Amino acid sequence: MSLRECRRKFVNAFMFALTAFSALATVSVLFVILGYLVYHGGKNINWSFLTKLPTPVGEPGGGMANAIVGSAKLLFLALLVGVPVGVSTGIYLAEFGGKTMGFFIRYTTDLLNGVPSIVIGIFAYTVIVLPMRHFSTLAGSFALGVMMIPITVRSTEQFLRAVPNPLREGAMALGASKWRTILTVVVPAAGSGIISGVMLALARVAGETAPLLFTAFSNRYWSSGWNDPVASLPVMIYTYAIGPYADWHEQAWAAGLVLLALVFVVNVGTRLVLARKVSVSR
Amino acid sequence: MHASANMTERAALSKAPRAFLHRLRSGDEIAHIITLMFAALVVGITALLVYQLWIQSVLSRQKFGWIFFVTHVWDPLAGQFGALPFLYGTLVTSAIALILAVPLGLGTAIFLSEFSTPRASDIFAFLVDLLAAVPSVIFGLLGIFVMVPWLRTTVEPALQSTLGFLPLFQGPMYGVGFLAAGLILAVMVVPFIVSVSREVLIAVPREQREAALALGATRWEAIWKAVVPFAKTGIIGSVFLALARALGETMAVTMVIGNDPRISASLFAPGYSIAAVIANEFTEATGNLYLSALVELGLVLFMLTFVLNGLARLLVLTTRQRGAGHQ
């Protein structure tokens, strides 16, 4: 074996090792994050954390019940904003949209998807907080809902397009009109996919902090209705993590664990459902 | 269901099939129009977003003009607003992020698409997707409590003692600063580079690899000389996508950059970024000019990500089509 060949073989093996190392390094970050959160969060999570209100500053104990409920409220309303618009637009793109119109709307959706979340926050501030003159659950939900739209549109369109054409043709051959075919055959066939897409969009916005800072704001008590500022898990994590108190830091870890668990359960769950569906249809 | 059965029956009995056809059509038309209205709403929302950013930043745009981008005094009390420190912070942290994330992400993507078994590749890709799903505030949490102390006590002293002759690595070490923000951004954008690059690499036709191997290339030579060049535009697209993410990333950066509007050569020094200053000062902005200056920063961020995302999409699309054309 010549020297040159040796060198080539060596480079080959070396680069193999290097890329394998990169892959391991990338994935290990995930486990480092999980490890720290489970360790620090698990230590500090307890029943009163989940069920009690925050105590006044300096007083130990208390929890983040208001933030957990607040996040749920924000997400529920965001769902009402994002899903009808997102799914309908997805249906339009997959079933009706012509070439030019389809391209234009798809392009705009992608543009909206790329807008940084803090800019979405400014947008919600200018159209809802400024006219109403106060922070509200409504404004926060609007921001999150707008963020959900492009993700939902894309997944809905994708899953509708995956529905085989013979299904559509069969329904139409039986005399069903196009809209009836879509409503009773195509959408149900893509149903689990569309729902998974919505769940993933929800998991994505559940962790968003930046658009809530000046829309939903935060507080330390229960807020009723949709018109008041409301606490949420991500904003509480932020506030507590940069705060100066050790017991705040402990609670920030616990809240982080709750949030991450929520996001991961939804992600893993929907992906498993989708994977099974794909293997069945094969 | 009953109603529809009735309708079909009646239609079958009808002497005027044309009227029935018309009704059917109009049903389709209504569905078409309803979904189109929602689609138009998406366009409307996006247009409103741009309009609001433009209108709400008018005070600042008129008062400062282009000077806004080249002055470095940010003094809300005196009504002086210069965006340079924030632009600088955003660009420096994003540059650090890319310098670290591109080799790591590309290496990972190459391993997953070329070396590993398809099954392992899928599992890794799933884990990378999970990493992408981690909320940015969680990255910030680990940044504050784990990464910053580690940088302060271990990494920054080591860098200073080895590369301290460069101005980049001089000065006091705080832990928080440009380096911390860049490092955390790198970790956050790697998943984007990996998932897009892996996709475009997988889309490269088999013949590319086989031809190179048949000519006696080693596997690495085939990858580096035949596969990666073929996927080059797509990979560059993924880097643009990652850059757009890094520029707009808010929470994690805000938590570790130090939030000090200064321009320093040292990467150890605290700084500020566009997104971070919006997050920190928006609720406290008193006076219309202050708010308008912050909205203008938002507009800048929007423009930057708009251009980068557009370019990225174009590049990724070109590669995919090229790959598809060869199959």
Side-chain angles (χ1 to χ4, degrees):
Chain A
M1 211 190 284
S2 75
L3 195 66
R4 183 152 176 263
E5 208 155 312
C6 264
R7 199 181 60 89
R8 290 175 57 207
K9 285 243 164 74
F10 172 76
V11 167
N12 187 41
F14 179 74
M15 293 316 287
F16 170 75
L18 205 61
T19 58
F21 174 76
S22 330
L24 283 178
T26 303
V27 171
S28 67
V29 172
L30 178 71
F31 292 104
V32 168
I33 292 174
L34 263 177
Y36 269 104
L37 276 163
V38 169
Y39 176 69
H40 287 286
K43 245 182 1 192
N44 297 302
I45 208 164
N46 53 41
W47 190 242
S48 73
F49 172 82
L50 297 171
T51 55
K52 289 218 169 99
L53 282 178
T55 51
V57 176
E59 208 174 290
M64 285 197 188
N66 61 333
I68 296 171
V69 174
S71 268
K73 274 169 76 175
L74 284 165
L75 290 176
F76 171 73
L77 205 57
L79 208 63
L80 293 187
V81 175
V83 170
V85 182
V87 171
S88 307
T89 307
I91 293 176
Y92 175 80
L93 288 176
E95 305 290 330
F96 292 109
K99 203 155 189 189
T100 327
M101 202 61 184
F103 174 81
F104 178 63
I105 288 167
R106 217 167 278 129
Y107 185 82
T108 317
T109 314
D110 283 346
L111 169 61
L112 191 58
N113 194 31
V115 176
S117 59
I118 187 98
V119 176
I120 301 275
I122 296 180
F123 173 51
Y125 179 88
T126 60
V127 294
I128 299 193
V129 178
L130 273 186
M132 286 175 70
R133 293 171 183 281
H134 59 82
F135 301 115
S136 62
T137 314
L138 195 69
S141 289
F142 176 75
L144 297 185
V146 168
M147 294 193 68
M148 279 184 75
I149 290 173
I151 316 174
T152 315
V153 170
R154 197 180 295 173
S155 62
T156 305
E157 187 193 357
Q158 189 192 330
F159 285 112
L160 286 176
R161 281 191 189 281
V163 173
N165 258 333
L167 267 180
R168 291 188 182 81
E169 286 156 5
M172 285 184 159
L174 290 172
S177 61
K178 190 171 178 184
W179 67 271
R180 190 163 277 281
T181 307
I182 293 169
L183 207 63
T184 58
V185 177
V186 183
V187 170
S192 64
I194 295 175
I195 292 171
S196 305
V198 170
M199 294 302 288
L200 287 178
L202 206 60
R204 158 92 195 280
V205 300
E208 282 296 342
T209 319
L212 296 178
L213 289 174
F214 32 87
T215 53
F217 204 58
S218 190
N219 59 25
R220 301 181 63 79
Y221 40 86
W222 296 110
S223 66
S224 58
W226 308 97
N227 231 339
D228 294 325
V230 68
S232 58
L233 271 177
V235 175
M236 284 298 247
I237 295 171
Y238 172 62
T239 320
Y240 274 37
I242 61 171
Y245 314 107
D247 65 318
W248 275 23
H249 298 165
E250 286 166 6
Q251 294 211 350
W253 281 109
L257 180 62
V258 172
L259 182 64
L260 194 71
L262 187 87
V263 170
F264 275 10
V265 164
V266 172
N267 267 280
V268 174
T270 49
R271 274 165 223 269
L272 284 181
V273 168
L274 285 182
R276 234 180 57 199
K277 180 141 170 60
V278 169
S279 60
V280 165
S281 69
R282 266 180 202 159
Chain B
M1 276 296 123
H2 273 289
S4 80
N6 257 334
M7 262 170 57
T8 352
E9 255 169 52
R10 260 190 287 154
L13 296 171
S14 161
K15 299 270 188 251
R18 207 174 257 176
F20 171 62
L21 252 173
H22 181 74
R23 268 217 307 281
L24 256 186
R25 272 260 189 69
S26 65
D28 285 351
E29 284 307 314
I30 289 170
H32 186 159
I33 287 168
I34 290 175
T35 55
L36 177 61
M37 268 163 49
F38 278 110
L41 192 62
V42 177
V43 179
I45 288 174
T46 313
L48 185 63
L49 189 154
V50 181
Y51 174 78
Q52 286 290 349
L53 288 177
W54 186 252
I55 286 298
Q56 298 287 345
S57 63
V58 67
L59 273 180
S60 160
R61 279 188 291 113
Q62 277 174 353
K63 178 145 197 266
F64 302 114
W66 293 105
I67 300 291
F68 186 67
F69 301 105
V70 290
T71 51
H72 60 90
V73 180
W74 184 266
D75 186 353
L77 290 177
Q80 276 304 314
F81 298 100
L84 198 59
F86 311 113
L87 286 169
Y88 177 77
T90 297
L91 293 181
V92 167
T93 51
S94 301
I96 299 172
L98 286 192
I99 289 169
L100 298 172
V102 170
L104 189 65
L106 187 57
T108 306
I110 289 177
F111 180 77
L112 295 188
S113 75
E114 309 297 324
F115 288 122
S116 81
T117 61
R119 193 170 161 72
S121 175
D122 283 348
I123 292 171
F124 267 70
F126 171 69
L127 293 175
V128 171
D129 278 352
L130 271 189
L131 185 60
V134 174
S136 72
V137 73
I138 304 256
F139 279 103
L141 188 68
L142 269 108
I144 286 187
F145 294 121
V146 182
M147 190 190 70
V148 165
W150 176 62
L151 283 179
R152 188 172 50 228
T153 57
T154 313
V155 178
E156 291 183 351
L159 279 173
Q160 194 158 53
S161 62
T162 50
L163 296 165
F165 57 90
L166 293 169
L168 289 179
F169 303 111
Q170 287 169 1
M173 295 164 278
Y174 300 101
V176 295
F178 295 115
L179 185 65
L183 192 58
I184 213 163
L185 280 177
V187 174
M188 293 181 72
V189 300
V190 160
F192 293 89
I193 298 181
V194 173
S195 66
V196 178
S197 299
R198 172 177 172 263
E199 236 179 88
V200 292
L201 285 172
I202 287 176
V204 172
R206 280 181 68 89
E207 294 84 9
Q208 286 290 117
R209 300 177 178 85
E210 283 163 3
L213 290 174
L215 289 172
T218 62
R219 269 180 99 177
W220 174 254
E221 285 163 350
I223 292 165
W224 197 244
K225 300 208 168 114
V227 179
V228 170
F230 194 92
K232 196 172 69 194
T233 46
I235 292 169
I236 295 172
S238 84
V239 173
F240 279 15
L241 222 55
L243 180 57
R245 285 285 300 191
L247 292 174
E249 178 47 49
T250 312
M251 297 322 296
V253 174
T254 310
M255 290 163 92
V256 300
I257 198 172
N259 298 335
D260 185 358
R262 258 190 304 175
I263 297 176
S264 323
S266 170
L267 297 182
F268 300 161
Y272 226 146
S273 80
I274 298 177
V277 71
I278 299 174
N280 274 324
E281 301 191 357
F282 208 82
T283 49
E284 300 156 8
T286 46
N288 293 333
L289 184 64
Y290 193 178
L291 201 64
S292 157
L294 288 172
V295 177
E296 187 172 355
L297 286 176
L299 183 67
V300 171
L301 214 50
F302 173 81
M303 297 287 195
L304 285 174
T305 48
F306 172 56
V307 171
L308 282 171
N309 277 312
L311 281 175
R313 213 158 295 287
L314 203 69
L315 290 172
V316 174
L317 211 68
T318 340
T319 324
R320 281 219 191 103
Q321 276 169 356
R322 237 169 59 141
H326 277 253
Q327 272 158 9

